[in-house]
Amino acid sequence: MDQKKKNIDRREFLKVLGVGAAATSAALYGCGSKGTSATSTGVSGSALTGEMTYRTNPTTGDRVSILGYGCMRWPTISNSSARDSNDEIDQEMVNQLVDYAIAHGVNYFDTSPAYCKGRSERATGIALSRYPRDKYFIATKLSNFSRNTWSREASIAMYRNSLKELQVDYLDYMLLHGVGMGGGMQEFEERYINNGILDFLMKEREAGRIRNLGFSYHGDIKVFDYLLSRHDDFKWDFVQIQLNYVDWKHAKEVNTRNTDAEYLYAELEKRDIPAIIMEPLLGGRLSSVPNHIVARLRQRRPDDSVASWAFRFAGSHDKVLCVLSGMTYMEHLQDNVRTYSPLIPLTEDDKAFLEETARLMLTYPTIPCNDCKYCMPCPYGIDIPSILIHYNKCVNEGNVPENVQEENYRKARRAFLVGYDRSVPRLRQANHCIGCNQCVHHCPQNINIPGELHRIDRFVEQLKQGTL
């Protein structure tokens, strides 16, 4: 393709977006080349009022926007998320989202061969390839989850296909995907050590085809601790962890298998390893909180969104290089850009306020589903995430009555049952679970999925029969 046609015309681009040249110049050229703006003491940097906040990677000198675009929820032509739907990805809208993001300073884009049911890398590559290669950072993962991809040949083929789909000849950030999931240390060794893949990726880094090598951590803390104990050997350039104001001190209360983000972050900080943050909204639960929590947050900062509190918390830690957000809709992108242009770090009083908020939220018995969909597809067609998310939504809205004597029982009963049928087709509801346990192994939150589905099904039947 002719390079002039491939790269978007800058003047036409500014005209379409309706932004001034001065404001957009810094956004379009925010990446900086290797070695630029580096500091000797880890992640650093800030932005002027109205401009995106950036942090500097101490290894490569990359000047990274603190807001990173998580490309796991690209929109479809039916205006849903490609993470949830088989509908065709709306490439035109993906392009518009990328254009807005880049115009407003976002330069880090995170994808995976597993995202959007295998379609994210291609859509991301099409959108980004319209820009000069040194104007964005691309992160992808070796997502060799299934056993048929554990061989050296299959894993290398997946890696090379990522380069092809993304239309690049090098990757800025490459991750071992989901270490600690499923079978813990044994599974990690099968996926990355015994087949020589970690050695292969380190050689790719030496050759410059990978600029930064790291891993995303889920689950078994033994794997996390082992990989950091080998930091002198592996020389991790960054690590991706789950961090939010609930998981900071209360991860084990949400899920006994999880580890507090405070510990994960501290282990990275002491080794001077930059952190990339995933799940700042705890799978969306920190943007869809109980009504009294909404009132509490709004009373303190009336003009800020509920989600902005979580993003500010994640970004207020000095070693955080970038905070990822999977943004399907333009309004989500705009709100997050507002939060980080610039980031207003939390005060100690703000942090204490959010700790109190986290404790209040823990009094509500939601299921720790992050809507990652690693449990899918269910062999019996059950829509596991939608069932759990509907239940959590009703908990947050006060529509999970304990008994028929509750004052709002009728209203809550109707809201739960009608919403359940609207959210989940009847043939995909919890009553079809036979307890085969195939989903349990894949859940990074270690949820007893069959147990929760059976519990929800019993609750639904009690609501229908009026026997609660």
Side-chain angles (χ1 to χ4, degrees):
M1 183 182 291
D2 187 286
Q3 188 66 26
K4 291 182 179 178
K5 292 181 180 178
K6 185 177 181 182
N7 290 334
I8 189 170
D9 181 88
R10 184 170 182 273
R11 184 171 296 176
E12 198 61 30
F13 168 61
L14 297 180
K15 188 187 300 180
V16 170
L17 288 195
V19 293
T24 311
S25 178
L28 286 174
Y29 302 100
C31 285
S33 59
K34 185 173 181 176
T36 303
S37 302
T39 65
S40 59
T41 56
V43 180
S44 66
S46 60
L48 300 176
T49 301
E51 296 180 1
M52 176 61 63
T53 294
Y54 294 89
R55 298 276 171 83
T56 300
N57 184 331
T59 306
T60 55
D62 293 342
R63 187 168 174 263
V64 179
S65 59
I66 194 166
L67 176 61
Y69 212 123
C71 305
M72 73 289 287
R73 293 187 177 94
W74 285 132
T76 67
I77 55 175
S78 61
N79 201 34
S80 61
S81 165
R83 190 177 187 175
D84 308 322
S85 169
N86 289 317
D87 289 350
E88 179 184 350
I89 288 179
D90 187 341
Q91 189 64 54
E92 183 178 348
M93 180 54 68
V94 171
N95 293 354
Q96 289 180 29
L97 289 165
V98 168
D99 290 345
Y100 186 93
I102 289 180
H104 292 80
V106 178
N107 63 15
Y108 188 98
F109 295 83
D110 172 272
T111 183
S112 157
Y115 291 166
C116 299
K117 303 188 177 183
R119 300 168 292 166
S120 175
E121 285 185 325
R122 177 169 295 183
T124 303
I126 290 170
L128 290 176
S129 67
R130 299 169 305 134
Y131 291 89
R133 179 62 183 91
D134 62 348
K135 303 310 173 191
Y136 59 87
F137 300 120
I138 189 70
T140 195
K141 307 170 182 72
L142 189 57
S143 306
N144 56 349
F145 296 126
S146 60
R147 287 183 177 273
N148 62 8
T149 61
W150 287 4
S151 70
R152 179 180 177 85
E153 295 74 21
S155 292
I156 291 176
M158 180 181 290
Y159 162 71
R160 289 181 173 152
N161 190 62
S162 291
L163 292 167
K164 176 184 174 183
E165 296 280 43
L166 291 166
Q167 303 183 43
V168 296
D169 54 14
Y170 67 90
L171 297 168
D172 298 291
Y173 292 79
M174 180 67 180
L175 299 93
L176 315 183
H177 195 181
V179 305
M181 284 178 59
M185 196 68 205
Q186 182 179 348
E187 183 171 312
F188 167 77
E189 290 176 346
E190 291 288 339
R191 290 174 61 193
Y192 297 117
I193 302 298
N194 299 345
N195 56 12
I197 286 299
L198 181 51
D199 288 336
F200 168 79
L201 294 176
M202 291 171 69
K203 288 177 182 176
E204 288 293 283
R205 179 173 58 182
E206 289 176 17
R209 286 183 288 272
I210 293 173
R211 297 182 59 249
N212 295 273
L213 182 62
F215 63 89
S216 67
Y217 163 70
H218 300 263
D220 191 341
I221 193 60
K222 293 178 182 177
V223 183
F224 179 84
D225 288 341
Y226 168 77
L227 292 183
L228 291 194
S229 75
R230 297 284 307 278
H231 179 46
D232 288 344
D233 301 317
F234 300 140
K235 295 179 171 55
W236 302 114
D237 298 301
F238 68 107
V239 172
Q240 191 163 302
I241 59 172
Q242 180 169 313
L243 184 153
N244 52 70
Y245 64 81
V246 172
D247 280 329
W248 184 249
K249 291 181 181 291
H250 307 285
K252 286 188 177 295
E253 294 171 61
V254 175
N255 186 326
T256 56
R257 193 186 182 198
N258 284 355
T259 301
D260 288 348
E262 185 177 32
Y263 171 81
L264 303 177
Y265 177 80
E267 291 299 298
L268 298 180
E269 185 178 38
K270 73 169 70 168
R271 293 170 176 85
D272 203 26
I273 302 174
I276 303 289
I277 303 307
M278 58 184 167
E279 301 296 351
L281 291 177
L282 196 55
R285 279 176 284 162
L286 300 186
S287 62
S288 180
V289 297
N291 293 336
H292 75 283
I293 299 292
V294 173
R296 173 183 172 84
L297 297 174
R298 288 270 165 80
Q299 183 177 18
R300 194 171 179 96
R301 289 181 72 92
D303 297 330
D304 290 2
S305 68
V306 169
S308 69
W309 279 98
F311 283 103
R312 287 178 61 216
F313 179 86
S316 292
H317 299 87
D318 292 339
K319 282 294 178 186
V320 167
L321 181 64
C322 186
V323 180
L324 300 176
S325 178
M327 299 168 281
T328 305
Y329 305 111
M330 185 65 77
E331 57 265 33
H332 299 157
L333 172 58
Q334 291 170 335
D335 184 55
N336 292 341
V337 165
R338 253 191 317 272
T339 299
Y340 284 144
S341 299
L343 164 68
I344 302 173
L346 296 178
T347 64
E348 290 304 312
D349 188 48
D350 288 334
K351 293 176 183 177
F353 169 76
L354 284 184
E355 168 59 15
E356 292 174 6
T357 303
R359 290 180 181 276
L360 285 172
M361 290 188 64
L362 289 169
T363 63
Y364 282 72
T366 55
I367 300 166
C369 174
N370 287 349
D371 194 24
C372 67
K373 292 186 169 54
Y374 293 152
C375 59
M376 298 292 283
C378 166
Y380 296 92
I382 300 167
D383 190 347
I384 298 167
S386 293
I387 295 167
L388 302 186
I389 288 167
H390 172 69
Y391 179 83
N392 285 345
K393 179 175 182 289
C394 288
V395 169
N396 286 337
E397 293 175 351
N399 290 324
V400 180
E402 292 186 7
N403 54 63
V404 294
Q405 276 74 45
E406 283 198 13
E407 184 177 346
N408 70 330
Y409 172 78
R410 286 179 174 274
K411 174 179 172 293
R413 175 182 181 274
R414 175 177 173 76
F416 193 103
L417 293 178
V418 171
Y420 190 38
D421 285 342
R422 287 176 177 172
S423 302
V424 189
R426 294 203 173 187
L427 290 177
R428 306 192 69 188
Q429 291 182 357
N431 60 311
H432 295 282
C433 175
I434 68 163
C436 70
N437 287 325
Q438 288 193 35
C439 52
V440 174
H441 174 77
H442 300 288
C443 178
Q445 302 299 324
N446 200 35
I447 300 168
N448 177 7
I449 295 173
E452 294 291 359
L453 293 180
H454 293 160
R455 180 173 69 86
I456 291 170
D457 182 49
R458 287 194 299 271
F459 177 72
V460 169
E461 284 304 308
Q462 288 176 316
L463 287 180
K464 288 180 177 178
Q465 302 298 326
T467 58
L468 193 66

